Amino acid sequence: MTIERFIQLWTHRYHKYTHIAKAHLKGRNARAHFRGVKRRLKKGQELIGIIRTEHFGDIVAAEPISRYVREQYPDAHIVWFVKPGFAELVSHNPNVDEVFKEFCVTERRVLLEGNVFDKVFELQFRNNNHCPKCQVFTENPVALQRDINVLNYFDYGNLLEVFAQTGDLIPPKAAFPADDQPRLYLQPSHKAKVDSLGLREKYIVMHCRSNYEPKDWPAERWNQLVHWLAERYDYQLVEIGLESNLNVKTPAYRNLCGQLSILETAEVIRRASFFIGLDSGPSHLGNATGAFGIILMGALNNFLNYNPYSGRYGREENALLVRQAGLPCAQLPFEFVQEQVRSVLEKSADNAPRVLS
């Protein structure tokens, strides 16, 4: 072994075991905290945990569960477990009493081993219960028993229904039994931020790049679509997301990628005339805020025809799911997507006098 390899090995081990030690300490501290919370509860009042830590579209899709659990346990102290980067999605939810910002799954395991919570509804399965630093997975016994995993989960329904099943809130392959429309709880600060952007009164918001390449549509076709929209319609075209990969040359286009928080992005989507995007987190923001969605979708891994949405997007009351049987999103022809977008925009009464060419 070379000295460089020796240093790399022990540096890795140092960071790994330091992380694990920190996770155990934080887990014990969290256990002490929630024991204190439980002592302060009224007699008969239950301490309930809901675990949905990632990703942000999944957390938005799972929001109706917070209302459902509150209806079932009106007096409970409800704690939502979430990764810190997504905490804003649940911190303003009136059905959640406390947000636990999870350090890693090892911390959660140490916490839950103390049996402090009266009930725990785990809304995820193995692939979302992984800490790469600890190099461990945590299993969800309900998901194991029901054979729900990353290879077959859409066989059990939309995301909300899958999460409710993995949490043992509803029977296997059952429909969600309550209001299934996701909601967001936007605050004045989010509205003030978007006010400061100076967006035009009428704009289309676009999300052109997901965090999972098989869900994407090629950048050159997005470029075509943006230029066609700019030439034909009198809308500002606003791109949101983490990072743009477009090369757009039109004054109608504005790039807001990487400039907004999740809920600030949601407020931009809420105000838009239309949302055009992919099957990814921002499309769930569109569903929750009421923006009409034009969602580019396709066959995904084992799922040739799936629908991740509940509520109005799921029923296609407020969305058009753009796809062709058997094709992945990347293979959707530009002309097909163009015609689908045209069919939506030109049904809008607002567009009749605004067609420029």
Side-chain angles (χ1 to χ4, degrees), residues 16-143:
K16 174 181 176 180
Y17 292 116
T18 299
H19 174 89
I20 292 172
K22 185 176 181 180
H24 278 264
L25 177 60
K26 290 176 75 70
R28 288 193 292 271
N29 289 341
R31 189 187 298 177
H33 165 74
F34 285 113
R35 281 176 176 158
V37 170
K38 196 165 185 179
R39 283 194 297 269
R40 294 190 293 272
L41 297 181
K42 298 175 183 178
K43 185 177 180 179
Q45 190 177 9
E46 292 183 294
L47 180 62
I48 292 179
I50 299 175
I51 300 172
R52 184 69 230 180
T53 62
E54 56 177 318
H55 299 274
F56 86 77
D58 293 346
I59 296 168
V60 175
E63 183 277 336
I65 289 175
S66 68
R67 288 179 269 133
Y68 183 66
V69 172
R70 175 59 71 196
E71 290 171 3
Q72 302 299 308
Y73 306 94
D75 299 323
H77 184 87
I78 298 175
V79 180
W80 192 293
F81 288 59
V82 66
K83 288 188 174 181
F86 305 132
E88 65 174 310
L89 287 169
V90 289
S91 60
H92 305 293
N93 186 331
N95 302 291
V96 174
D97 298 293
E98 186 172 350
V99 177
F100 180 70
K101 299 177 183 179
E102 181 178 289
F103 176 67
C104 78
V105 296
T106 297
E107 176 200 31
R108 188 206 314 158
R109 177 176 57 78
V110 172
L111 165 58
L112 296 182
E113 283 174 352
N115 296 316
V116 184
F117 285 81
D118 296 293
K119 291 183 176 66
V120 176
F121 301 113
E122 185 168 349
L123 313 183
Q124 51 198 40
F125 36 87
R126 194 175 196 264
N127 69 306
N128 292 129
N129 283 332
H130 174 234
C131 177
K133 290 188 177 180
C134 295
Q135 296 179 328
V136 297
F137 286 89
T138 298
E139 299 287 2
N140 177 349
V142 176

Side-chain angles (χ1 to χ4, degrees), residues 113-297:
E113 283 174 352
N115 296 316
V116 184
F117 285 81
D118 296 293
K119 291 183 176 66
V120 176
F121 301 113
E122 185 168 349
L123 313 183
Q124 51 198 40
F125 36 87
R126 194 175 196 264
N127 69 306
N128 292 129
N129 283 332
H130 174 234
C131 177
K133 290 188 177 180
C134 295
Q135 296 179 328
V136 297
F137 286 89
T138 298
E139 299 287 2
N140 177 349
V142 176
L144 284 176
Q145 181 185 14
R146 297 184 175 187
D147 190 33
I148 302 174
N149 58 61
V150 71
L151 300 176
N152 67 10
Y153 62 102
F154 275 126
D155 296 339
Y156 290 79
N158 60 48
L159 288 176
L160 174 61
E161 291 166 343
V162 171
F163 299 154
Q165 289 171 67
T166 62
D168 202 17
L169 285 159
I170 62 176
K173 298 194 175 182
F176 191 70
D179 179 9
D180 69 347
Q181 175 61 47
R183 299 177 189 170
L184 290 173
Y185 302 92
L186 300 173
Q187 302 299 300
S189 61
H190 307 128
K191 298 175 182 179
K193 173 64 177 180
V194 178
D195 286 342
S196 74
L197 297 175
L199 297 173
R200 282 169 46 181
E201 181 180 354
K202 296 188 68 62
Y203 62 87
I204 295 172
V205 66
M206 310 179 75
H207 180 240
C208 310
R209 191 178 189 184
S210 75
N211 66 351
Y212 188 53
E213 189 173 345
K215 293 183 178 182
D216 287 346
W217 199 47
E220 62 269 18
R221 290 180 211 166
W222 280 112
N223 288 332
Q224 280 184 273
L225 186 66
V226 169
H227 284 103
W228 173 75
L229 287 167
E231 290 171 1
R232 186 172 182 85
Y233 300 101
D234 187 22
Y235 285 104
Q236 187 178 27
L237 305 170
V238 178
E239 185 182 2
I240 51 90
L242 289 178
E243 185 180 16
S244 177
N245 61 347
L246 304 189
N247 181 22
V248 174
K249 306 293 184 184
T250 171
Y253 168 81
R254 181 166 177 185
N255 181 0
L256 292 180
C257 293
Q259 301 176 41
L260 304 170
S261 72
I262 296 172
L263 290 185
E264 289 166 353
T265 300
E267 177 64 13
V268 170
I269 294 172
R270 186 187 70 81
R271 300 184 188 192
S273 300
F274 299 96
F275 170 82
I276 305 176
L278 304 161
D279 168 25
S280 61
S283 64
H284 291 279
L285 300 180
N287 191 16
T289 57
F292 188 95
I294 304 171
I295 313 300
L296 279 58
M297 298 183 63

